[in-house]
Amino acid sequence: MKLKPQQLEEVVFGKTGFRRFTQDSPILPDVWMAFGEEPDSKQDLLLTPNWGSPPGKLSNEIAIRLQLEQEHREGSELMPGPPSEADIAYNFSTVAIRLYFEQVIRVILPMTTWWHENILADDGKNFQLLVDDEGFRIRLATALSESARKQDRETESDEVWDLNRALKNEIWNNEPPKHIEHLIWLVKIVGAIAVAGPFEDGKSIVNNAPALLKAFADLMKNVIPVQPNGARVWTVNINRKAQAMIWRSTTAIKADAARRLFEVKCEDIRWGIIDSGIDASHPAFRLRRTDGTLEPEPFLKDGKPFNNTRIVKTYDFTVIRKILSRDRDTLHVLPPQLQKRFMDNANERKALQERLQQGLAIDWEILAPFLEIPHLDGQYESPIFEHGTHVAGIMAADWKANDIGNEKKFDIRGVCPDLRLYDLRVLDENGESDEFSILAALQFVLYLNSNSDNLMLHGVNMSLSIRHKVKNFACGCTPVCEESERLVNSGLVVVAAAGNDGYLESESGGSSDGYRSISITDPGNAPGVITVGATHRDSPHTYGVSYFSSRGPTGDGRTKPDLVAPGEKITSTVPDGGLRAMDGTSMAAPHVSGAAALLIGRHRELVAKPARVKQILCDTATDLGRERYFQGRGMLDILRAMQSV
């Protein structure tokens, strides 16, 4: 049976015992909540290794422990599946894995430093006493139940004092062991989820000490010990889900005037679009001949692929979890396109599998052929979801009125129409992704730049949204925010949508609808990222900040968004040679990415100086007269930005 979130919160945050905080334990609150909601289901998790424990080594040791656990619990009702069913994969910073609750508690939790420093603080004597000695559990249950009865009529400070007093007097003769509160807390949360649901008397299970202690002891018997020098887990997180969030709008931000005045060339500036994919066959991204006409579609030149689009390369990270699977027999479950890539690169596949089995660091040179989608007829895979092509068009479309296929018969030009783009696909055909895939894409960008004398990419655009849960991470310290900061620190401009959570709509509708502050989503919460809110496409002074645009400040009090750009009814490119209007901060972000590219194209001394680029764009923004936490520094003004340098 499910536990209500309120019941779990009472335990996780110590409302019925010792006061807890967000990261007091390595298993973060959203993981406990997810298992409480679905105690018998697997959860997709992200494990962050301890410093000094490489993700590859950690994944290997987890696989071994899962195998031992399966052998040990053969025939048990709680028997987990084989390691291959855990779908283990790792990148440079995290391990992705799908586990049942029992596996998390018995296999992963003992691998944490927290477990050894707190649960086994006395060499595990009290933990083993609790698990093995029924008489001890009865005495402890009596003490805890007496404290629980007092909670109904005394203050929280008295409650904690009474619990301490009860434990001292009834169990340890005035000398309770160090860190015993951690063990008591773990009993409550693990026992509550293991038993689940209301108890016989209708009261919450979290107050039934005998049931909690028994459930905990049954689950924790004969836990497989961890090697003293083995890999350690720092935190266990949910692998969070991510979601996707021209021509008149470019005039509003003065992109057309800036191009005419400065005649900026950006042919050698390259930007990564981390999104759902860009249709490289769209005429809006085709290279042009010297006479201004479009080049033909991609073809073979001297027996090699010749890319006639400004989409330099296409990489598919929606399949990264399958590619990095430790299971050797995954070929039959892969999509047809990926099966072909595996068969075409048999030697690389063998080398990759050997590295994964050994827990070695990811080698992107080996991995890249499995991720790349060739731009050749018969092999190219156009994206299904429209979002990424739309974002790319806002930033870099160049589709003239007299070009073949332009039925609108007017110029469709993005902010920076000669820019080169890298298509990094993380959102699937439904516009959904997970944090692991996005982390891998960001790490790949870092790899591309670190293996080149000059920057392969000068910036990335992320028009996607991962909601930040306040109870799990300090704001701006989530895995995707930290990875984004690494990119910024390496010299890349990183632009992110603020999110579309500024409007609070009640389930019943009506007068209770309203607006929501402190609603910036990740990776927009990262300090060094340029976080972009939305405004009207051509009348920002009249309509101000879009009602849906997420508002600041951040959860830790920093000013966000940084600025705003057009995000309402923006017409741009979609796959199969089409155009469409869309709304969202997803549409606002590429305006700023294009502006940053123009700025770098005009002033090359700004290459690898993302903080300076951000400062210029923010300092020259036009004040719309709105609240700072709504508009940031104001409306993007490319012309003023370029004139200011």
Side-chain angles (χ1 to χ4, degrees):
M1 295 180 65
K2 295 182 179 180
L3 279 172
K4 295 179 180 179
Q6 183 179 1
Q7 290 177 306
L8 278 172
E9 286 188 6
E10 289 177 355
V11 184
V12 172
F13 297 108
K15 295 179 181 177
T16 58
F18 295 96
R19 176 62 61 191
R20 308 293 302 180
F21 295 97
T22 297
Q23 293 177 326
D24 279 358
S25 80
I27 300 179
L28 298 190
D30 61 345
V31 179
W32 296 119
M33 301 299 177
F35 280 121
E37 284 287 308
E38 299 179 286
D40 299 322
S41 299
K42 281 185 177 181
Q43 296 295 335
D44 196 13
L45 306 172
L46 272 184
L47 310 182
T48 303
N50 247 32
W51 181 260
S53 294
K57 178 182 178 182
L58 179 61
S59 71
N60 267 8
E61 294 191 15
I62 290 173
I64 294 170
R65 286 180 60 80
L66 285 172
Q67 185 63 44
L68 292 173
E69 180 73 4
Q70 184 191 23
E71 296 170 359
H72 173 70
R73 296 175 76 84
E74 190 76 35
S76 167
E77 293 180 359
L78 300 177
M79 186 187 73
S84 61
E85 293 183 1
D87 195 13
I88 306 173
Y90 63 91
N91 54 34
F92 276 95
S93 60
T94 56
V95 176
I97 189 167
R98 291 185 174 92
L99 295 174
Y100 290 108
F101 177 67
E102 291 81 4
Q103 293 171 307
V104 172
I105 300 305
R106 291 180 55 84
V107 174
I108 304 300
L109 187 58
M111 299 181 73
T112 65
T113 303
W114 179 87
W115 173 271
H116 291 270
E117 292 180 349
N118 296 290
I119 303 305
L120 304 184
D122 54 355
D123 296 324
K125 293 178 182 177
N126 281 288
F127 169 74
Q128 287 303 135
L129 193 63
L130 189 152
V131 171
D132 298 333
D133 191 331
E134 183 178 0
F136 176 79
R137 290 199 298 274
I138 292 173
R139 295 195 303 276
L140 183 58
T142 301
L144 293 173
S145 298
E146 176 62 24
S147 176
R149 282 192 291 271
K150 292 183 179 182
Q151 289 173 20
D152 294 333
R153 60 180 183 272
E154 297 185 11
T155 65
E156 182 181 306
S157 59
D158 288 335
E159 163 201 328
V160 176
W161 185 86
D162 282 334
L163 180 55
N164 280 326
R165 183 177 62 183
L167 294 177
K168 287 179 182 179
N169 294 340
E170 302 293 333
I171 307 298
W172 287 285
N173 298 321
N174 293 321
E175 293 184 6
K178 185 180 181 182
H179 299 311
I180 188 61
E181 69 271 15
H182 295 283
L183 179 58
I184 300 301
W185 176 83
L186 189 63
V187 166
K188 287 186 176 183
I189 186 64
V190 171
I193 294 174
V195 177
F199 201 61
E200 296 173 352
D201 58 3
K203 294 183 178 180
S204 171
I205 185 62
V206 299
N207 289 324
N208 191 288
L212 297 179
L213 288 163
K214 183 179 185 306
F216 181 83
D218 290 344
L219 182 60
M220 301 305 294
K221 286 185 184 298
N222 301 315
V223 170
I224 298 169
V226 177
Q227 296 297 322
N229 297 321
R232 291 288 185 266
V233 174
W234 180 248
T235 56
V236 181
N237 322 298
I238 289 290
N239 186 13
R240 297 181 297 165
K241 300 302 179 185
Q243 296 177 328
M245 296 308 229
I246 261 173
W247 53 286
R248 292 175 68 180
S249 63
T250 57
T251 303
I253 59 175
K254 303 179 186 175
D256 56 334
R259 288 196 302 263
R260 286 195 301 268
L261 180 61
F262 292 103
E263 296 183 352
V264 182
K265 298 293 183 182
C266 294
E267 296 173 349
D268 58 345
I269 303 295
R270 294 167 297 277
W271 220 263
I273 305 292
I274 299 178
D275 212 288
S276 64
I278 308 169
D279 185 359
S281 64
H282 198 296
F285 305 112
R286 194 80 52 78
L287 289 170
R288 293 189 179 276
R289 299 186 178 100
T290 54
D291 62 0
T293 59
L294 293 178
E295 290 275 12
E297 293 186 8
F299 62 96
L300 286 176
K301 183 177 182 180
D302 298 328
K304 297 181 180 180
F306 184 76
N307 188 355
N308 270 337
T309 83
R310 287 181 290 113
I311 314 304
V312 182
K313 295 278 188 179
T314 297
Y315 296 97
D316 184 7
F317 289 88
T318 65
V319 295
I320 189 72
R321 184 76 170 269
K322 295 181 175 66
I323 293 173
L324 293 178
S325 172
R326 301 180 78 260
D327 186 2
R328 293 179 181 271
D329 301 318
T330 56
L331 190 60
H332 65 286
V333 299
L334 298 177
Q337 314 94 299
L338 190 53
Q339 286 187 28
K340 186 178 187 309
R341 281 179 243 163
F342 266 56
M343 290 185 289
D344 290 346
N345 299 278
N347 292 333
E348 289 83 356
R349 181 192 175 212
K350 181 179 179 182
L352 175 61
Q353 284 293 327
E354 289 176 352
R355 293 185 67 86
L356 292 173
Q357 292 293 327
Q358 296 171 29
L360 299 177
I362 297 298
D363 187 335
W364 288 111
E365 187 173 352
I366 296 176
L367 192 57
F370 304 112
L371 296 169
E372 185 173 0
I373 299 176
H375 286 183
L376 292 175
D377 288 340
Q379 297 185 45
Y380 181 67
E381 304 157 24
S382 297
I384 297 174
F385 197 61
E386 299 176 337
H387 190 267
T389 304
H390 196 275
V391 166
I394 295 170
M395 189 173 179
D398 183 16
W399 202 11
K400 295 181 179 178
N402 59 353
D403 287 338
I404 296 176
N406 189 342
E407 297 177 356
K408 297 293 183 180
K409 300 306 177 186
F410 52 73
D411 290 348
I412 305 295
R413 307 201 78 194
V415 177
C416 192
D418 58 346
L419 187 67
R420 267 50 172 181
L421 301 176
Y422 274 72
D423 177 8
L424 307 170
R425 301 181 182 182
V426 297
L427 300 174
D428 62 17
E429 64 272 12
N430 299 311
E432 298 176 349
S433 184
D434 62 18
E435 198 161 3
F436 182 79
S437 301
I438 298 169
L439 291 174
L442 292 169
Q443 291 167 4
F444 183 68
V445 170
L446 198 58
Y447 156 78
L448 289 176
N449 278 356
S450 62
N451 285 270
S452 174
D453 292 337
N454 299 310
L455 290 181
M456 288 283 288
L457 281 80
H458 298 85
V460 296
N461 185 91
M462 288 189 283
S463 289
L464 46 82
S465 170
I466 304 177
R467 289 187 175 180
H468 171 65
K469 292 188 176 181
V470 177
K471 294 179 179 178
N472 289 283
F473 291 96
C475 191
C477 296
T478 60
V480 73
C481 286
E482 291 181 341
E483 204 67 56
S484 298
E485 284 294 297
R486 290 189 187 98
L487 275 192
V488 174
N489 293 336
S490 73
L492 272 82
V493 176
V494 180
V495 179
N500 299 337
D501 288 348
Y503 176 58
L504 180 63
E505 183 176 9
S506 69
E507 294 182 2
S508 58
S511 59
S512 58
D513 292 5
Y515 296 94
R516 178 187 294 163
S517 294
I518 318 180
S519 54
I520 304 294
T521 57
D522 291 341
N525 279 308
V529 165
I530 304 177
T531 306
V532 188
T535 186
H536 193 269
R537 62 178 175 177
D538 56 17
S539 303
H541 287 277
T542 301
Y543 297 106
V545 178
S546 304
Y547 75 93
F548 54 77
S549 185
S550 289
R551 294 157 169 78
T554 62
D556 58 344
R558 288 175 287 112
T559 301
K560 288 279 184 176
D562 296 299
L563 70 171
V564 293
E568 296 183 35
K569 298 180 177 63
I570 307 300
T571 299
S572 184
T573 51
V574 292
D576 300 322
L579 293 171
R580 186 181 168 192
M582 293 186 185
D583 303 293
T585 56
S586 284
M587 285 61 253
H591 285 90
V592 175
S593 283
L598 281 175
L599 194 59
I600 292 172
R602 171 65 178 173
H603 302 285
R604 296 306 171 104
E605 67 269 27
L606 295 177
V607 170
K609 295 182 180 178
R612 179 62 179 144
V613 171
K614 179 178 179 179
Q615 180 186 11
I616 293 170
L617 293 176
C618 290
D619 287 350
T620 57
T622 300
D623 185 4
L624 298 178
R626 266 65 177 189
E627 166 61 42
R628 179 72 178 272
Y629 293 132
F630 284 52
Q631 69 163 20
R633 300 290 293 276
M635 169 79 165
L636 173 68
D637 188 325
I638 299 176
L639 181 59
R640 185 184 296 165
M642 297 180 71
Q643 289 173 326
S644 71
V645 182

